[in-house]
Amino acid sequence: MRTIHDPFSGLAVFLAVAESGGFTPASAHLGVSPAAISQAVKALEAKLGVALFVRTTRHVRLTEAGTALLSRVKSAATDIAEAVDAAGSAQDEPSGFLRLTVPRMAVPLFVDAVVPALRREHPKIRIEIAVEDAAVDLLGRGFDAGVRIGEYVELDMIGVRLTRDIMWSVVGSPSYLATHGLPQSPEDLAAHENIRYRFPTSGAIYRWEFERNGRSLSVDPPGSLVVNDGALLVSLAASGLGLSYVADIAVETELRAGLLVGVLQPYLPTTPGLFLYFPRRAQNQPKLRALIDIARKVCRV
């Protein structure tokens, strides 16, 4: 009997290791042992005659050949996965694996509200959620959909509104403001301790945006605390360590409880709110349609 040649053998494991950055996280993602992952990668490397990964005791990284292979097969793998999902679209109950990327501010607004409802109504859908504030290449990272502030959603994506527009806020604790006083204009921030945000991807420090007489004003305030996590901007400000520039929807609870106080409101801009976004060609997948329907029902924007 002639042996059947399978050109896809080992590619799923290769993609899992390349995307997760290691054998252990890949094994958790695929539900097999790290030893099985290692064995599958070695078999693929032997079949291709090249090393795909450089392995050390601490890190696993792609070789030049591995990088080239990833760039060729990633988009094809996405197409295949979408084709398989489409083939099952006639079934009554949506199913499959749904990978989502969500910024930290959207956890209480989206994850805590939408995901439980989705699980209750469609238990056959398996969900993985990556919480990260950095900009994300959905297709390149293998995500089905993401949640981001509207102005950061790529133009070639479809967006579904989840929240009202966002008003940006400068907030501080009552104790901090009692000690240092309330700034009356953006220029007054130069005399305050400001908690600044560094973009995880670019490494740039975020400049605080204001409006005056219909014109935009960008300020880079001084501060000895820099973070790359939105939740820390809120918690550190609530601890009295300085002023933070945050979205109002991220501090509603703290403002109501009196843990934080908003300042400089006349100068603060409004921007599009949070959106669920996804590639146009993926919108008819049953698992994604189920997520969209639940999100619209729960968020009611």
Side-chain angles (χ1 to χ4, degrees):
M1 179 181 295
R2 188 174 66 178
T3 301
I4 297 176
H5 173 64
D6 181 6
F8 301 108
S9 177
L11 287 180
V13 173
F14 165 74
L15 287 168
V17 175
E19 291 170 2
S20 65
F23 287 15
T24 299
S27 71
H29 174 66
L30 295 177
V32 298
S33 69
I37 295 290
S38 179
Q39 194 172 39
V41 168
K42 287 179 181 178
L44 180 60
E45 290 176 326
K47 181 173 70 173
L48 298 177
V50 293
L52 299 174
F53 296 99
V54 176
R55 306 160 178 82
T56 68
T57 55
R58 297 191 175 202
H59 301 287
V60 174
R61 62 180 178 82
L62 287 164
T63 63
E64 184 176 350
T67 301
L69 179 62
L70 179 64
S71 68
R72 294 289 298 275
V73 304
K74 179 58 190 172
S75 60
T78 300
D79 289 341
I80 291 171
E82 290 176 357
V84 171
D85 284 338
S89 62
Q91 60 189 8
D92 294 332
E93 177 62 27
S95 62
F97 188 40
L98 189 64
R99 297 188 72 228
L100 307 173
T101 170
V102 178
R104 195 164 298 279
M105 79 160 69
V107 170
L109 300 165
F110 176 77
V111 177
D112 292 349
V114 174
V115 172
L118 180 64
R119 290 291 297 155
R120 284 193 297 270
E121 293 199 24
H122 304 289
K124 291 184 179 180
I125 296 177
R126 296 178 294 122
I127 304 169
E128 179 179 332
I129 302 169
V131 179
E132 51 192 332
D133 290 333
V136 173
D137 176 3
L138 284 188
L139 296 178
R141 294 275 303 278
F143 288 107
D144 295 288
V147 175
R148 287 296 182 273
I149 294 173
E151 62 184 309
Y152 297 118
V153 174
E154 294 92 332
L155 293 178
D156 60 345
M157 296 284 172
I158 292 180
V160 175
R161 180 179 285 275
L162 298 175
T163 72
R164 58 172 173 78
D165 284 348
I166 289 172
M167 173 170 279
W168 293 92
S169 302
V170 177
V171 295
S173 71
S175 63
Y176 174 87
L177 295 171
T179 302
H180 298 86
L182 276 67
Q184 300 301 314
S185 72
E187 288 79 8
D188 291 345
L189 293 171
H192 282 266
E193 177 66 27
N194 303 286
I195 305 167
R196 299 188 295 166
Y197 179 82
R198 186 184 300 279
F199 288 105
T201 303
S202 69
I205 296 290
Y206 180 71
R207 296 178 65 90
W208 295 12
E209 302 292 334
F210 298 96
E211 291 181 353
R212 177 187 283 143
N213 299 325
R215 301 183 65 179
S216 297
L217 173 66
S218 178
V219 175
D220 186 13
S224 56
L225 271 174
V226 179
V227 302
N228 68 351
D229 181 275
L232 283 177
L233 291 174
V234 177
S235 63
L236 292 176
S239 296
L241 298 183
L243 301 176
S244 287
Y245 187 98
V246 296
D248 62 345
I249 59 176
V251 289
E252 287 179 332
T253 300
E254 288 78 7
L255 290 172
R256 282 197 301 266
L259 299 175
L260 288 172
V261 176
V263 298
L264 298 176
Q265 285 95 335
Y267 300 97
L268 290 160
T270 298
T271 60
L274 290 173
F275 284 74
L276 174 68
Y277 72 105
F278 43 87
R280 184 175 302 276
R281 63 183 181 179
Q283 62 183 313
N284 292 322
Q285 294 182 17
K287 62 183 181 182
L288 190 54
R289 291 307 316 171
L291 173 65
I292 295 167
D293 292 343
I294 293 293
R296 282 176 168 156
K297 184 188 305 182
V298 171
C299 296
R300 296 182 179 178
V301 178

